[in-house]
Amino acid sequence: TTEFNIPWRELAQSENVWHQACYMLLFSPQIVLAVIVLCQYLFSDNYNWKEYLLALALGWAAFHITDANGGPSLQVYILLALGARNFSFRTLMWIYFPITAGIAAVTVAGSQLGWVENLVYTARDGRNSFGFIYPTDCAAHFVFLGLCYWYMRGKKLHYLELPVFAGLGLAAWYGCKGRFSTTLLALLAFTV
């Protein structure tokens, strides 16, 4: 959800097979998820026949729902649920946090350095999007980063780390004017 100009259409229209495969992987995550789920269920010894049948029924329902309503979002969530079975949530957070923090940092820095457009909406005395497609998207990224950081640190959090949440809340309030995200970050800081 950033404003970076990435030429996806050029990949799709290219004659190069690798460009087209890259486009399919980036714009059809359900294909990648389906392959991962299929490999996970085929090459694992941890499943019994009931789980195979349930996974097959859910996978079939996911593809059927996508054909019926034309939107792949529910299919992606069902495939994620099937593929995430027996996968550590903590490991997922340790993968998610550095990737998301890096993307957010590059996007915010890029918006301030002129690499990417910083959309400013006139409502509420100018809401900055900091390189994201909308100010509330930027503020939501701050909330998710705060939640993930809290989950990863757990009981190891110190009082000196509370300014992290306060800083994210101030950025969401003064930069994005995101009221709900600011409230969530304040509640998060209080809870932590």
Side-chain angles (χ1 to χ4, degrees):
T1 62
T2 67
E3 284 289 318
F4 278 106
N5 184 21
I6 302 171
W8 299 120
R9 293 190 191 276
E10 291 176 15
L11 289 176
Q13 296 169 351
S14 173
E15 302 262 339
N16 189 335
V17 175
W18 293 107
H19 290 176
Q20 292 174 357
C22 183
Y23 179 81
M24 285 297 293
L25 291 176
L26 293 172
F27 278 100
S28 300
Q30 61 269 25
I31 293 173
V32 177
L33 287 171
V35 169
I36 290 171
V37 168
L38 188 65
C39 290
Q40 181 182 3
Y41 278 77
L42 287 178
F43 300 114
S44 177
D45 298 332
N46 298 334
Y47 302 101
N48 60 26
W49 65 273
K50 292 178 186 176
E51 290 176 348
Y52 281 121
L53 286 178
L54 180 62
L56 186 64
L58 286 173
W60 178 81
F63 281 95
H64 182 69
I65 289 169
T66 299
D67 284 342
N69 68 8
S73 59
L74 185 60
Q75 180 185 49
V76 171
Y77 291 127
I78 291 172
L79 289 172
L80 272 174
L82 289 172
R85 186 180 181 281
N86 294 333
F87 192 78
S88 168
F89 186 71
R90 181 166 294 281
T91 303
L92 184 63
M93 290 297 104
W94 279 99
I95 293 169
Y96 171 82
F97 185 77
I99 292 171
T100 306
I103 290 171
V106 167
T107 302
V108 170
S111 73
Q112 299 305 303
L113 296 173
W115 299 340
V116 65
E117 188 174 355
N118 182 17
L119 301 175
V120 179
Y121 295 87
T122 57
R124 287 189 244 150
D125 297 328
R127 301 175 68 195
N128 291 312
S129 66
F130 293 113
F132 290 92
I133 59 172
Y134 201 69
T136 53
D137 279 17
C138 179
H141 280 286
F142 295 159
V143 171
F144 290 131
L145 282 171
L147 286 170
C148 187
Y149 184 77
W150 179 31
Y151 180 79
M152 287 175 14
R153 293 287 293 156
K155 294 182 180 179
K156 297 176 187 175
L157 273 173
H158 297 285
Y159 290 109
L160 298 174
E161 292 172 287
L162 284 178
V164 170
F165 301 108
L168 289 173
L170 289 173
W173 179 253
Y174 287 109
C176 304
K177 308 282 193 287
R179 296 175 291 203
F180 187 65
S181 295
T182 303
T183 304
L184 288 177
L185 283 165
L187 288 172
L188 181 63
F190 178 74
T191 305
V192 168

